[in-house]
């Protein structure tokens, strides 16, 4: 699928222990009022950020997120699918699969800062295909260019 450019992040906010309260979608520039309670928040960053917040009467809670950076695969050859992993604690977790098809303009992705791994197959589609891992780091407001080989 083509990547849609996210103009503004949005959060899905719901009471943590309530099955009847609807989920609220809140743009990050909006200020909304909520009842005092515990809330689970999913932010549509890539990878997705999750928060748990206790709200009290007359409290204002600001959740700060880092400015994203960009991953740019420079390959002009077709590698097929590349699986991206982000660091969660001491493990790396899969979060996104993208096609590296040789069209450099389509091989750019906005990511939150941090360490990542790209896993792909060298000689994909051939009997001697080998799994390869490429480590990289995304910094805010920076394009990280990678050539997978």
């Amino acid at each position: 699928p083509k990547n849609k450019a996210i103009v503004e992040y949005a959060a899905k906010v719901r009471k943590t222990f309530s099955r009847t309260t609807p989920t609220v979608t809140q743009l990050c520039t909006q200020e909304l009022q909520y009842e005092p309670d515990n809330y689970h928040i999913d932010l549509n960053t890539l990878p997705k950020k999750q928060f748990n917040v206790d709200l009290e009467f007359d409290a204002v809670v600001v959740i700060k997120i880092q400015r994203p950076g960009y991953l740019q695969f420079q390959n002009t050859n077709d590698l097929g699918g590349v699986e991206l992993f982000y660091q969660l604690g001491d493990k790396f977790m899969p979060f996104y699969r993208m096609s590296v098809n040789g069209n450099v303009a389509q091989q750019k992705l906005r990511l939150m800062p941090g360490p990542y791994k790209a896993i792909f197959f060298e000689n994909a589609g051939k009997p001697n295909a080998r799994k390869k891992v490429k480590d990289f780091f995304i910094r805010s407001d920076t394009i990280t260019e990678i050539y997978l080989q």
Side-chain angles (χ1 to χ4, degrees):
K2 291 186 178 180
N3 298 329
K4 291 183 178 178
I6 296 174
V7 176
E8 179 180 357
Y9 291 123
K12 299 254 186 229
V13 181
R14 66 176 169 77
K15 284 187 180 180
T16 304
F17 301 109
S18 174
R19 294 177 185 227
T20 59
T21 306
T23 298
V24 174
T25 299
Q26 177 180 347
L27 294 176
C28 290
T29 55
Q30 286 180 304
E31 286 187 26
L32 297 179
Q33 292 186 359
Y34 294 91
E35 297 176 13
D37 211 324
N38 180 271
Y39 290 86
H40 178 83
I41 302 166
D42 286 325
L43 195 59
N44 70 337
T45 57
L46 197 57
K48 183 188 294 187
K49 294 280 188 185
Q50 298 180 334
F51 303 91
N52 189 278
V53 174
D54 285 315
L55 290 182
E56 299 174 7
F57 284 105
D58 297 325
V60 174
V61 175
V62 175
I63 296 174
K64 294 186 178 192
I65 58 171
Q66 294 176 292
R67 294 181 57 81
Y70 290 88
L71 167 63
Q72 175 72 65
F73 287 115
Q74 294 295 91
N75 290 67
T76 55
N77 57 325
D78 187 354
L79 286 178
V82 175
E83 189 84 23
L84 299 178
F85 291 72
Y86 74 102
Q87 188 170 12
L88 181 62
D90 60 352
K91 296 181 181 179
F92 278 82
M93 305 296 292
F95 72 97
Y96 195 81
R97 183 171 177 80
M98 73 182 290
S99 175
V100 175
N101 59 12
N103 184 338
V104 176
Q106 295 177 354
Q107 298 171 174
K108 187 174 184 180
L109 189 62
R110 184 166 88 164
L111 296 174
M112 297 308 296
Y116 293 89
K117 292 182 182 289
I119 297 180
F120 64 101
F121 284 93
E122 180 181 56
N123 299 321
K126 296 183 181 174
N128 63 344
R130 289 187 348 197
K131 185 187 284 188
K132 305 243 348 210
V133 178
K134 176 74 172 178
D135 295 316
F136 61 96
F137 195 91
I138 298 293
R139 289 178 174 66
S140 293
D141 299 319
T142 302
I143 298 172
T144 300
E145 295 180 348
I146 294 179
Y147 184 80
L148 299 175
Q149 55 182 9

